[in-house]
Amino acid sequence: MPTTNRKMFPTALQMAAVTLACICYVAQAQTSTVTAPRAVGTNYTDPLSAPLQSPPGMCTAAKSTPATVTLQANSSTVHWGYYYAGATPNLVINSGDTVNVEMCTQHGGDDYDKIVKGDPGIESIYNWTSAGPSVGWRGATGKGDGVHVLTGPIYVCDAEPGDVIQVDILDLEPRPNPGNDNRTYGSNAAASWGYHFRAGFLDGMKREIVTIYELIQAANGKSYVAIPDYQFKYGSFGLAQPPASYIGPLSNCTDFAGPLPELAQNLVYNFNNSGQTFRSMIQVPCTADSTQQWEGLYYPGVITQHPTGTEDYSIRGKFKVPINFHVGSMGLAQATNVTIDSVVPMMGGGNVDDRRMGIGATMYYPVAVEGGLISMGDAHTAQGDSEFDGTAIETNINGKFKITVHKKTSLEPMLQNLDFPLLENANEYVVHGYTLKDYLTLPDPSQIYKMSSLDMAFTTAYNSTRDFAMRTFNLTEDQAITAITTVMDFGVTQVVDGKSACALMQNRTHELAAIIVPYLLLRIA
């Protein structure tokens, strides 16, 4: 945990200048009701019918010196597009252990040769033959309603509901591709769920554009920049006159039914997509030659065949992007009997997409199920507050994390009653709030895409910030209200992921009496 002096003084309160970041996820394109598959006789709000128990011998006595272990990314260690409490752990650790985790981007198919080809672990994830994809269930219902490749889950011994799991982000490094001269590339997709689709285009022609970036290491060997390499149109989505020779990428047919991989406890859990419908209930039929053609970004992991005839290299040399490696999606499984869409953030984290979740940051997550079952992925090279066009620079990244359990019987005040993902770094706390504190309590959680509201997000964030300030700094409600107004900033960090959310940032290193730095970060992407 970052060193913090939390001793309270009568006239000088040691607290961070708090920024409240409002994260607003608005998935305009997803307007249809999508009901996740359910185990027989269960609802979203039902607890697991058979709570996950650690098999005998899974957890051993913690070593006097914490271990350092590695969880590689390959087709047997990742799940695509969902969090699920019924998944079998891919790694078991003790509190205090350090884990090197390999994270694979879901956008590797945008330029397979540059991002995937030649890296055996990543290739195994994207392998897709006529027999089907190597990672077949993608999304909460297998229809692409959830897109992120997540490595895990990791079972943390002695983590129980009511505890808090702390994750220190020790390091993040771009993953070099041995099949491409050890170079690293990433992809930014200006997609139909981006805010620009609502703001409009100058020529009135809606289009999904992918920009491929290369990461270049500085001469000092210690820093990177991302430089744009080229752009291309992803399919003919929204184009009145698509290129005559290019409609969109082709794939072998997706799986239209099947069981959830890596089920624990002999659970029976299946999906059925016999209607061949995907994001926004768009139908992409399997043709007589057993292929599907994707006119838009409707399903994750589709591989674009280059050249498409739409490549545009004029962006080269126009600008450089400063690097800010961070983890887009990291979170714990929730106590439900169903898979959870990886797009919408939860009380236990998930797709928070806060650019502050980088090296040196610490995340705190409330534990909902035994072992926590933490997964991570959706790693980013760079992203501004908003993720305005729909994605960041999505990149394969290897991370190093220290994972610690805080028991519910001995939580310090700031972690008591924690019901949101809390971020702490050297300068600030970040309190994340959403349209709803826990959207999984909705009868149909997919309705959150229709409900996203910045007003509701601000209310949730305000309430969480008030409660956090009161218990962390021993303030009354009236004292917290004036502190929120004079010390803390609210901001929007996301506008595209289907759920409005806000985050509060508070400076940790100055006394309240000496510095008041409001910051409002509105997340609209």
Side-chain angles (χ1 to χ4, degrees), residues 491-517:
V492 177
T493 65
Q494 272 288 340
V495 293
V496 297
D497 287 341
K499 186 176 183 182
S500 297
C502 294
L504 171 76
M505 301 182 187
Q506 171 178 342
N507 189 296
R508 296 177 57 251
T509 58
H510 297 84
E511 295 181 356
L512 177 59
I515 183 168
I516 297 177
V517 185

Short mmCIF file of all heavy atoms in Angstrom, two decimals, residues 491-517:
data_model
loop_
_atom_site.label_atom_id
_atom_site.label_comp_id
_atom_site.label_asym_id
_atom_site.label_seq_id
_atom_site.Cartn_x
_atom_site.Cartn_y
_atom_site.Cartn_z
N GLY A 491 -15.08 14.69 -12.52
CA GLY A 491 -14.76 14.68 -13.94
C GLY A 491 -15.37 13.49 -14.64
O GLY A 491 -15.70 12.49 -14.03
N VAL A 492 -15.52 13.59 -15.95
CA VAL A 492 -16.06 12.51 -16.76
C VAL A 492 -14.90 11.80 -17.43
O VAL A 492 -14.15 12.41 -18.17
CB VAL A 492 -17.02 13.04 -17.82
CG1 VAL A 492 -17.52 11.91 -18.70
CG2 VAL A 492 -18.17 13.76 -17.16
N THR A 493 -14.77 10.51 -17.19
CA THR A 493 -13.68 9.77 -17.81
C THR A 493 -14.14 8.80 -18.88
O THR A 493 -13.32 8.24 -19.59
CB THR A 493 -12.88 8.97 -16.76
OG1 THR A 493 -13.74 7.97 -16.22
CG2 THR A 493 -12.38 9.87 -15.66
N GLN A 494 -15.44 8.55 -18.99
CA GLN A 494 -15.93 7.60 -19.99
C GLN A 494 -17.28 8.04 -20.53
O GLN A 494 -18.12 8.53 -19.78
CB GLN A 494 -16.08 6.21 -19.37
CG GLN A 494 -14.82 5.37 -19.44
CD GLN A 494 -14.51 4.90 -20.84
OE1 GLN A 494 -15.37 4.86 -21.72
NE2 GLN A 494 -13.27 4.54 -21.07
N VAL A 495 -17.50 7.83 -21.82
CA VAL A 495 -18.81 8.13 -22.42
C VAL A 495 -19.32 7.03 -23.32
O VAL A 495 -20.30 7.22 -24.02
CB VAL A 495 -18.76 9.44 -23.24
CG1 VAL A 495 -18.54 10.64 -22.36
CG2 VAL A 495 -17.71 9.36 -24.33
N VAL A 496 -18.70 5.85 -23.35
CA VAL A 496 -19.10 4.89 -24.38
C VAL A 496 -19.36 3.47 -23.92
O VAL A 496 -19.67 2.63 -24.73
CB VAL A 496 -18.04 4.80 -25.50
CG1 VAL A 496 -17.92 6.12 -26.20
CG2 VAL A 496 -16.72 4.32 -24.97
N ASP A 497 -19.25 3.15 -22.67
CA ASP A 497 -19.32 1.74 -22.28
C ASP A 497 -20.66 1.33 -21.68
O ASP A 497 -20.74 0.31 -21.01
CB ASP A 497 -18.21 1.42 -21.28
CG ASP A 497 -16.86 1.35 -21.97
OD1 ASP A 497 -16.84 1.19 -23.19
OD2 ASP A 497 -15.83 1.48 -21.29
N GLY A 498 -21.69 2.11 -21.88
CA GLY A 498 -23.02 1.67 -21.49
C GLY A 498 -23.41 2.00 -20.08
O GLY A 498 -24.47 1.60 -19.62
N LYS A 499 -22.55 2.74 -19.36
CA LYS A 499 -22.91 3.03 -17.98
C LYS A 499 -22.24 4.32 -17.54
O LYS A 499 -21.03 4.43 -17.56
CB LYS A 499 -22.48 1.88 -17.07
CG LYS A 499 -22.94 2.03 -15.65
CD LYS A 499 -22.56 0.80 -14.84
CE LYS A 499 -23.08 0.91 -13.44
NZ LYS A 499 -22.68 -0.25 -12.62
N SER A 500 -23.04 5.31 -17.11
CA SER A 500 -22.47 6.54 -16.61
C SER A 500 -21.74 6.27 -15.31
O SER A 500 -22.20 5.50 -14.48
CB SER A 500 -23.56 7.58 -16.37
OG SER A 500 -24.19 7.90 -17.58
N ALA A 501 -20.59 6.91 -15.11
CA ALA A 501 -19.84 6.69 -13.89
C ALA A 501 -19.02 7.90 -13.54
O ALA A 501 -18.62 8.66 -14.40
CB ALA A 501 -18.93 5.48 -14.06
N CYS A 502 -18.81 8.12 -12.27
CA CYS A 502 -18.03 9.25 -11.79
C CYS A 502 -16.96 8.78 -10.84
O CYS A 502 -17.11 7.78 -10.16
CB CYS A 502 -18.93 10.25 -11.06
SG CYS A 502 -20.12 11.03 -12.13
N ALA A 503 -15.87 9.55 -10.77
CA ALA A 503 -14.79 9.20 -9.86
C ALA A 503 -14.29 10.43 -9.15
O ALA A 503 -14.14 11.48 -9.75
CB ALA A 503 -13.66 8.53 -10.63
N LEU A 504 -14.04 10.30 -7.88
CA LEU A 504 -13.56 11.40 -7.05
C LEU A 504 -12.08 11.27 -6.83
O LEU A 504 -11.61 10.21 -6.43
CB LEU A 504 -14.26 11.39 -5.70
CG LEU A 504 -13.67 12.36 -4.68
CD1 LEU A 504 -14.11 13.76 -5.01
CD2 LEU A 504 -14.05 11.99 -3.28
N MET A 505 -11.31 12.33 -7.08
CA MET A 505 -9.87 12.31 -6.84
C MET A 505 -9.52 13.29 -5.74
O MET A 505 -9.93 14.43 -5.77
CB MET A 505 -9.12 12.66 -8.12
CG MET A 505 -9.42 11.72 -9.23
SD MET A 505 -8.49 12.08 -10.70
CE MET A 505 -9.27 10.94 -11.82
N GLN A 506 -8.74 12.83 -4.81
CA GLN A 506 -8.40 13.63 -3.65
C GLN A 506 -6.91 13.57 -3.40
O GLN A 506 -6.33 12.50 -3.26
CB GLN A 506 -9.15 13.10 -2.42
CG GLN A 506 -8.68 13.73 -1.14
CD GLN A 506 -9.49 13.22 0.02
OE1 GLN A 506 -10.56 12.68 -0.15
NE2 GLN A 506 -8.97 13.41 1.20
N ASN A 507 -6.25 14.70 -3.36
CA ASN A 507 -4.81 14.77 -3.16
C ASN A 507 -4.44 14.23 -1.79
O ASN A 507 -5.02 14.61 -0.79
CB ASN A 507 -4.34 16.22 -3.31
CG ASN A 507 -2.84 16.33 -3.32
OD1 ASN A 507 -2.18 16.02 -2.35
ND2 ASN A 507 -2.31 16.78 -4.44
N ARG A 508 -3.46 13.34 -1.74
CA ARG A 508 -3.10 12.68 -0.49
C ARG A 508 -1.97 13.38 0.26
O ARG A 508 -1.67 13.02 1.39
CB ARG A 508 -2.63 11.25 -0.78
CG ARG A 508 -3.67 10.35 -1.35
CD ARG A 508 -3.09 8.98 -1.66
NE ARG A 508 -2.49 8.37 -0.49
CZ ARG A 508 -1.18 8.20 -0.32
NH1 ARG A 508 -0.34 8.62 -1.24
NH2 ARG A 508 -0.73 7.63 0.76
N THR A 509 -1.29 14.31 -0.37
CA THR A 509 -0.03 14.75 0.19
C THR A 509 -0.06 16.13 0.82
O THR A 509 0.95 16.61 1.30
CB THR A 509 1.04 14.76 -0.92
OG1 THR A 509 0.61 15.61 -1.99
CG2 THR A 509 1.25 13.35 -1.46
N HIS A 510 -1.19 16.79 0.80
CA HIS A 510 -1.28 18.13 1.36
C HIS A 510 -2.40 18.20 2.38
O HIS A 510 -3.38 17.48 2.31
CB HIS A 510 -1.54 19.17 0.25
CG HIS A 510 -0.45 19.26 -0.75
ND1 HIS A 510 -0.39 18.39 -1.84
CD2 HIS A 510 0.62 20.06 -0.85
CE1 HIS A 510 0.68 18.69 -2.56
NE2 HIS A 510 1.30 19.70 -1.99
N GLU A 511 -2.25 19.11 3.33
CA GLU A 511 -3.30 19.30 4.32
C GLU A 511 -4.48 20.04 3.71
O GLU A 511 -4.33 20.91 2.86
CB GLU A 511 -2.75 20.09 5.50
CG GLU A 511 -1.65 19.33 6.26
CD GLU A 511 -1.12 20.11 7.43
OE1 GLU A 511 -1.55 21.26 7.61
OE2 GLU A 511 -0.28 19.56 8.17
N LEU A 512 -5.65 19.66 4.15
CA LEU A 512 -6.87 20.27 3.61
C LEU A 512 -6.85 21.78 3.78
O LEU A 512 -7.29 22.51 2.92
CB LEU A 512 -8.09 19.69 4.33
CG LEU A 512 -9.45 20.26 3.94
CD1 LEU A 512 -9.70 20.04 2.45
CD2 LEU A 512 -10.55 19.61 4.75
N ALA A 513 -6.29 22.24 4.87
CA ALA A 513 -6.27 23.67 5.12
C ALA A 513 -5.33 24.40 4.17
O ALA A 513 -5.45 25.60 3.98
CB ALA A 513 -5.83 23.94 6.56
N ALA A 514 -4.42 23.65 3.53
CA ALA A 514 -3.41 24.30 2.72
C ALA A 514 -3.69 24.24 1.22
O ALA A 514 -3.21 25.08 0.47
CB ALA A 514 -2.04 23.68 3.00
N ILE A 515 -4.43 23.25 0.81
CA ILE A 515 -4.65 23.12 -0.62
C ILE A 515 -6.05 22.61 -0.91
O ILE A 515 -6.53 21.67 -0.27
CB ILE A 515 -3.61 22.19 -1.28
CG1 ILE A 515 -3.82 22.15 -2.79
CG2 ILE A 515 -3.67 20.78 -0.71
CD1 ILE A 515 -2.69 21.50 -3.54
N ILE A 516 -6.71 23.24 -1.81
CA ILE A 516 -8.04 22.83 -2.24
C ILE A 516 -8.01 22.76 -3.76
O ILE A 516 -7.95 23.78 -4.42
CB ILE A 516 -9.12 23.81 -1.75
CG1 ILE A 516 -9.14 23.83 -0.22
CG2 ILE A 516 -10.47 23.45 -2.31
CD1 ILE A 516 -10.10 24.81 0.37
N VAL A 517 -8.03 21.58 -4.28
CA VAL A 517 -7.89 21.41 -5.72
C VAL A 517 -9.07 20.63 -6.26
O VAL A 517 -9.02 19.42 -6.39
CB VAL A 517 -6.57 20.69 -6.07
CG1 VAL A 517 -6.38 20.62 -7.57
CG2 VAL A 517 -5.40 21.38 -5.41
#
